């Protein structure tokens, strides 16, 4: 896996168990909790992030740094590794094969809305073409109400592929999602 460093000061590495208190704090932040709706007890964070941190499952949880400061979390996986989880999406949207997906959050409120999201997304996407040479596209479903998230995808070069009715992460939301995608650039694999 690429541990990435770009001239933008953005770096990342896999999440390790010592990062769980930081993830817990981020998941409790209102701007994150609104869209991630995640249990934040230490046990729940360990349960949900532990298998990837230990390499026991194929997804990757990446802790992203800006100039050495942790600022974001990106989750990345191939659809084929979680086909059951993505069946609802594949029933409604023509997902290129093989494809990957990402999910992301900016941890600290002071970094949200400052243009960091598109930079993080672009950096991880660029590395994904190298880290997953078989992947033809990256497809990302986002709740339609999460405008900041889908605007960050657009600014990072993604295009809207479709609208879909998907189970929301937060039960207060309806099923309306927008689906964004990016094909592997020519010459990248």
């Amino acid at each position: 896996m690429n541990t990435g460093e770009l001239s933008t000061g953005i770096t990342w590495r896999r999440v390790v168990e010592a990062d769980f208190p930081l993830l817990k704090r981020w998941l409790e932040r209102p701007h994150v909790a609104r869209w991630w709706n995640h249990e934040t007890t230490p046990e729940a964070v360990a349960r949900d992030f532990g298998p990837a941190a230990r390499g026991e499952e194929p997804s990757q949880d990446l802790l992203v740094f800006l100039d050495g400061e942790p600022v974001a979390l990106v989750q990345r996986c191939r659809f084929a590794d979680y086909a059951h989880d993505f069946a609802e999406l594949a029933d409604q949207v023509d997902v290129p094969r093989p494809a990957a997906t990402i999910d992301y959050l900016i941890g600290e409120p002071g970094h949200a809305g400052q243009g960091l999201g598109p930079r993080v997304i672009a950096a991880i996407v660029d590395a994904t073409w190298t880290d997953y040479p078989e992947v033809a596209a990256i497809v990302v479903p986002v709740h339609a109400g999460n405008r900041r998230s889908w605007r960050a995808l657009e600014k990072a070069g993604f295009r809207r592929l479709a609208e879909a009715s998907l189970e929301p992460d937060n039960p207060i939301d309806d099923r309306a999602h927008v689906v964004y995608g990016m094909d592997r650039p020519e010459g990248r694999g």
Side-chain angles (χ1 to χ4, degrees):
M1 180 190 67
N2 190 336
T3 55
E5 178 160 6
L6 301 175
S7 60
T8 61
I10 295 174
T11 59
W12 60 89
R13 62 164 171 77
R14 285 188 87 134
V15 167
V16 297
E17 290 182 1
D19 299 320
F20 292 175
L22 174 65
L23 297 183
K24 176 186 181 326
R25 189 172 75 236
W26 285 353
L27 291 165
E28 291 171 338
R29 301 271 190 220
H31 75 284
V32 174
R34 168 62 186 95
W35 299 108
W36 279 62
N37 192 47
H38 199 285
E39 288 183 59
T40 58
T41 65
E43 298 78 17
V45 172
R47 177 194 66 222
D48 295 342
F49 293 93
R54 293 186 299 271
E56 297 170 0
E57 63 179 55
S59 67
Q60 296 178 334
D61 295 335
L62 306 172
L63 188 62
V64 180
F65 299 82
L66 177 63
D67 298 327
E69 175 190 356
V71 294
L73 171 71
V74 176
Q75 295 182 313
R76 176 173 71 170
C77 70
R78 292 176 291 239
F79 279 99
D81 293 329
Y82 297 91
H84 177 72
D85 292 341
F86 293 108
E88 185 180 29
L89 176 66
D91 285 347
Q92 299 177 57
V93 178
D94 185 21
V95 177
R97 310 263 191 224
T101 192
I102 58 172
D103 200 358
Y104 41 85
L105 64 85
I106 302 298
E108 298 297 336
H111 289 294
Q114 303 299 311
L116 182 59
R119 292 173 54 203
V120 168
I121 292 167
I124 296 295
V125 165
D126 188 57
T128 299
W129 305 131
T130 301
D131 296 345
Y132 295 107
E134 75 285 2
V135 165
I138 299 172
V139 177
V140 184
V142 178
H143 190 273
N146 192 348
R147 186 175 191 280
R148 273 189 171 179
S149 182
W150 53 260
R151 286 292 294 141
L153 288 167
E154 290 174 349
K155 291 175 184 176
F158 281 74
R159 69 186 190 294
R160 189 177 289 203
L161 301 176
E163 295 178 2
S165 176
L166 303 172
E167 187 68 32
D169 291 331
N170 192 327
I172 69 169
D173 290 321
D174 60 20
R175 295 179 56 89
H177 282 69
V178 289
V179 182
Y180 280 81
M182 179 184 289
D183 293 331
R184 176 179 289 276
E186 292 291 322
R188 290 298 307 264

